[in-house]
Amino acid sequence: MNNPIIRTEKLSKIYDSGFRTVALQDVDLQIPKGSLSCIMGPSGHGKSTLLHLIGGLDRPTSGKVFLDDMELTSVDGNRLAEIRSRKIGFVFQFFNLLPVLTALENVQVAMMLAGIGKKEQEERATELLNLVGLEDKLQSKPNQLSGGQRQRVAIARALANDPEILLMDEPSGNLDSRSEEELLEQIAKVNGQGKTVVIVTHSETVAAMAKETFCIRDGELAVD
Amino acid sequence: MNHFKLTWKNIVRRKSRFFFTISAIAVGIASLVTLLSLGSGLETEIRKQADVLGANLVVTPRGWCAYEQISVLTGETLPEAIPNADVKKIAALEGLTAFPYLTQRTALKNQPVPLLGILPAEMKQFKGWQVGQGRYLLDDANVVIGSGIARQFELKSGDQLTVRGQEFSISGVLQEVGNSDDLAIYMELATVQQLYAVGDKVSFIAVKVDDITRIDQYILDIQNVANVAVTSDKQLLKSVLAIVGSVGSALQLIAAVAILAAFFGIVNTMMTAIYERRREIGILQAIGSKKRTIFSLFLYESAFYGLLGGIVGVVVGFVFSYFAAPYIGQNEFTAFLGSEQSVQLFSAGITLKALLFSILVSALAGVYPARQACKLSPVEAISYE
Ligand SMILES: Nc1ncnc2c1ncn2[C@@H]1O[C@H](COP(=O)(O)OP(=O)(O)O)[C@@H](O)[C@H]1O
Ligand SMILES: [Mg+2]
């Protein structure tokens, strides 16, 4: 593991609203560039928390996150937003898409936030939706799409600004096995293009595809 | 995709909320536009009337309030208070001419009409009236009428009209002069005094001076011979405008309440929208939106409500003031608005002011909700199920 793109150092997150919850404790993690890794573990044990901290969506209570050699806790909110915009793509379990926008527009929004012009937005969003096999659904609203199709739009959007890292939180969590297979195909394709993919999952099928599996138990990284 | 398209799609997603919020703003702005357009017409009209009075000085009883002074210009009924003896003394002074008025009201076809008791020959010369039809004869059986009255009640010379149970014949109709002189019946002063049993008193006296530079001296002269108040036409205009201004402020208060209600309507709409869309806000942040972008998206949204509500309000306001003006003109305070032509159907200045105001107020209403929106933590918004 000579070239980690993601590295955490004693990463901890403690929620203290009413009562104390240690969601993550002293996690040291290294994820190599270009790998496909998955994070497993029981519900409520800190997997999402870890993913959010890696992606700069939340701030740790203590410890550090490095993306390449940039340390995220020392970066201000605006810069963090830029990192999320250009360097990272998120896909969540559900509710990824803005319901008032079409599939095409949902992908475009991510580019709009990165300051990309209208023409390029349209061309590239169409291309990305082609890539995930939704060329005939460009003008469909989320409520006209199946669960699997929605997740594929979310992947297209996550790829909008050509990020190096794709973070997915139970992306096939509420998909049937056929849709899951289609989704895995897309993920493999994306990883094949050199992007680093981190997937939180309960699915053995997904885990089987990963080169590396991390297990989170009670907020700590468990060694198998 | 751009910020405005996104804003628009979000605004129209809840049709009924969109409609009611727009309506609330529109009502507020419409009342503002109505006020501004009636108000500007009002002031123009007052200046016109004040000019038309044509006098340099107005002699009134002591202790009249400003409302009564307005009435000098509007032809409202006034208490008869200055005795003929004083009129004579003032008229006898060197270098000025006095024109006494006794203002009363009568009715034609159940509608109130001003009836003015005047000295026929003096007043005709003073005003420079021309007779449009018939002849100019005022005595104990004849009156003349203004052209507006003639048109409104379909009267012409030779017709009869009844005042306090007594028949008069209309000897003539004056040529149109374009102000409130067109809207009165003129009768010989002594006849009105008898008819209304007011003794030998008049309501007020208009005075024209020979040498305008000595106006202060004339005021002293008049007050030496009679116990009266004397105002110059300039002062009168000033106090009238002040009163109209205060009436205007009261009406503006009404508009302010309507706009305040709209303000809180927008706050409410935006707070609801943000609550409903908190996950979307989380998603936007996850895909790279800065807090400041979230803030401006919601601020655009509320300002957009202001723009749309403002446009609807401006249109409704102008249409309303156009149709309302003639009715409002029957109120004493706004009697100047006797004719529609004093109300503009459209004014670019008022439109611009009202739109800017509407956008500003709405944007302001959006500030607090927008701040709440950008304080939302993306993680909490996303984790919510
Ligand atoms: N915003 C929060 N406030 C308080 N506790 C939280 C919050 N988010 C997560 N937690 C707690 O942190 C722990 C880890 O949560 P999470 O990372 O979502 O687990 P997982 O994704 O593995 O199911 C849980 O016990 C959860 O209840
Ligand atoms: Mg989770």
Side-chain angles (χ1 to χ4, degrees), chain A:
Chain A
M1 232 190 277
N2 47 0
N3 195 11
I5 188 171
I6 301 166
R7 185 158 62 87
T8 70
E9 248 173 41
K10 293 203 167 310
L11 196 62
S12 300
K13 178 77 184 181
I14 297 164
Y15 291 106
D16 203 354
S17 51
F19 62 97
R20 230 171 100 94
T21 312
V22 180
L24 216 58
Q25 185 152 29
D26 294 335
V27 171
D28 292 313
L29 188 77
Q30 298 201 355
I31 292 173
K33 203 182 184 90
S35 66
L36 197 161
S37 315
C38 83
I39 299 173
M40 297 189 82
S43 277
H45 280 231
K47 304 181 299 294
S48 297
T49 304
L50 177 60
L51 206 68
H52 295 156
L53 292 177
I54 289 174
L57 203 55
D58 204 356
R59 302 236 183 219
T61 311
S62 64
K64 289 178 173 164
V65 177
F66 295 90
L67 293 187
D68 287 324
D69 281 320
M70 186 168 28
E71 207 281 290
L72 290 190
T73 53
S74 63
V75 150
D76 75 356
N78 283 339
R79 181 82 186 93
L80 216 49
E82 273 166 30
I83 292 168
R84 291 196 301 265
S85 172
R86 293 170 186 281
K87 214 172 158 73
I88 292 168
F90 276 105
V91 177
F92 303 102
Q93 182 173 355
F94 19 57
F95 205 81
N96 273 292
L97 306 180
L98 304 182
V100 284
L101 303 184
T102 63
L104 190 70
E105 289 166 339
N106 262 289
V107 179
Q108 283 180 265
V109 168
M111 290 185 251
M112 171 191 98
L113 292 171
I116 290 166
K118 184 173 177 284
K119 202 168 140 54
E120 196 184 335
Q121 282 179 22
E122 241 173 66
E123 283 172 9
R124 202 166 143 63
T126 310
E127 202 178 291
L128 286 166
L129 287 167
N130 280 344
L131 185 79
V132 296
L134 289 176
E135 54 282 341
D136 55 342
K137 299 288 181 191
L138 300 183
Q139 301 305 329
S140 304
K141 294 268 178 73
N143 62 5
Q144 298 162 326
L145 297 172
S146 73
Q149 289 169 331
R150 267 180 260 175
Q151 291 308 73
R152 282 188 274 157
V153 176
I155 289 180
R157 187 186 57 194
L159 295 173
N161 297 316
D162 199 19
E164 291 172 62
I165 302 167
L166 203 60
L167 302 178
M168 307 177 126
D169 196 349
E170 304 190 36
S172 61
N174 55 344
L175 298 186
D176 56 55
S177 55
R178 228 184 76 84
S179 304
E180 181 175 51
E181 247 168 64
E182 281 171 8
L183 193 72
L184 289 183
E185 232 173 83
Q186 304 303 332
I187 293 173
K189 210 191 292 182
V190 170
N191 181 238
Q193 291 169 351
K195 297 196 190 303
T196 308
V197 181
V198 181
I199 312 173
V200 169
T201 188
H202 289 292
S203 158
E204 291 301 331
T205 328
V206 178
M209 196 173 71
K211 288 190 203 78
E212 202 137 10
T213 300
F214 301 94
C215 208
I216 297 282
R217 237 171 246 284
D218 284 327
E220 295 184 48
L221 193 60
V223 229
D224 315 320

Side-chain angles (χ1 to χ4, degrees), chain B residues 263 306 355-365:
Chain B
F263 178 91
L355 281 184
L356 283 179
F357 185 67
S358 177
I359 293 170
L360 191 77
V361 166
S362 308
L364 224 56

